[in-house]
Amino acid sequence: MSDDSRPSPSGARTAAVIPAAGRGVRLGPGAPKALRALNGTPMLIHAVRAMAASRAVSLVVVVAPPDGAAEVKTLLDAHALPERTDFLVVPGGDSRQESVRIGLDALPPGIDIVLVHDAARPLVPVDTVDAVIEAVRDGAPAVVPALPLADTVKQVEPAGVPGEPEPVVATPERALLRAVQTPQGFDRDTLVRAHEIVTENVTDDASMVEQLGLRVVVVPGHEEAFKVTRPLDLVLAEAVLARRRLNDGF
């Protein structure tokens, strides 16, 4: 570890796990989603830099496609990354849950807080990352960044045939709903226990902690932490990067 990766004043050290083993079929054929270029740089590199931008993060573990760990390692070596942060690449599993567990298993002793971040959220601002870490430091076993919903949401009964009209069964109160983003932050022991115990009804890592009966809290997310899943999202992400370059003067 470098000198700058010593424990924070709170005594808690933080690592980020980025599961990047998926194919990303909604973006169409070609390279895995995490390796798609965004402003000439793979989305994964943007996501790694977003985690490493926090001075609290001393280690970033990238969980690569099972047959692509060497390629991802070469990719990280080829791009400028903060020297104060250590990086590790491990081959992932067949599911996101398995890949996160593999990333957890790769963490060294001394890590107290774990962030789990989607490689497909390449533009999350460092202030959001730091807010999640701070909430875990303050005692929350699990923390998720989230935004209020702009749209009214309808609960429906799924159609028997795709494309057929679906009957509405309820309209949840929008003020009580949030759209969840990443990084999600956890007390390390809590997340490890969740992955050991919870195997069903998994939508995200925070839902696993919920199933343990533990408290999950929400902190404000950010509009630029959106998930890149469709070609239109790539266009929006390019626009965000262009605005950042303009604002930063380069």
Side-chain angles (χ1 to χ4, degrees):
M1 291 286 179
S2 61
D3 290 342
D4 284 339
S5 62
R6 57 186 177 271
S8 68
S10 71
R13 288 183 56 218
T14 302
V17 174
I18 303 180
R23 298 298 305 179
V25 294
R26 279 178 288 180
L27 275 177
K33 177 167 58 178
L35 303 185
R36 296 293 180 93
L38 182 58
N39 192 34
T41 300
M43 274 201 293
L44 175 61
I45 298 298
H46 288 284
V48 168
R49 287 173 174 165
M51 295 300 97
S54 170
R55 297 194 66 87
V57 174
S58 59
L59 171 67
V60 177
V61 177
V62 178
V63 187
D67 59 351
E71 178 186 1
V72 170
K73 177 68 165 62
T74 300
L75 198 66
L76 263 62
D77 290 342
H79 289 81
L81 299 171
E83 292 185 2
R84 68 172 183 270
T85 309
D86 290 326
F87 302 91
L88 178 65
V89 178
V90 296
D94 294 331
S95 67
R96 185 184 187 278
Q97 183 181 8
E98 184 179 356
S99 291
V100 172
R101 182 187 57 76
I102 290 171
L104 284 174
D105 289 344
L107 296 179
I111 295 295
D112 304 291
I113 296 172
V114 180
L115 304 178
V116 180
H117 183 57
D118 294 332
R121 297 184 189 271
L123 303 178
V124 57
V126 68
D127 287 351
T128 303
V129 180
D130 287 340
V132 170
I133 295 170
E134 192 61 33
V136 180
R137 284 179 178 166
D138 287 344
V143 180
V144 296
L147 292 176
L149 297 181
D151 299 318
T152 296
V153 176
K154 300 290 185 183
Q155 181 181 345
V156 302
E157 183 177 325
V161 178
E164 288 290 312
E166 298 174 321
V168 171
V169 297
T171 303
E173 186 177 346
R174 188 173 64 184
L176 301 179
L177 301 176
R178 297 292 183 268
V180 173
Q181 302 175 325
T182 70
Q184 299 185 353
F186 305 89
D187 167 75
R188 178 183 181 170
D189 291 341
T190 298
L191 185 58
V192 168
R193 184 155 61 94
H195 274 266
E196 290 173 346
I197 295 174
V198 179
T199 58
E200 297 180 355
N201 302 319
V202 175
T203 56
D204 63 358
D205 294 276
S207 70
M208 299 170 70
V209 174
E210 289 175 53
Q211 291 184 59
L212 295 181
L214 298 177
R215 180 167 163 263
V216 177
V217 301
V218 168
V219 297
H222 196 280
E223 61 182 5
E224 293 181 2
F226 61 90
K227 192 171 187 178
V228 177
T229 57
R230 303 160 300 176
L232 183 60
D233 298 326
L234 282 172
V235 176
L236 179 58
E238 293 276 8
V240 171
L241 284 174
R243 185 180 67 185
R244 287 183 181 181
R245 288 196 304 271
L246 186 63
N247 291 340
D248 293 341
F250 65 87

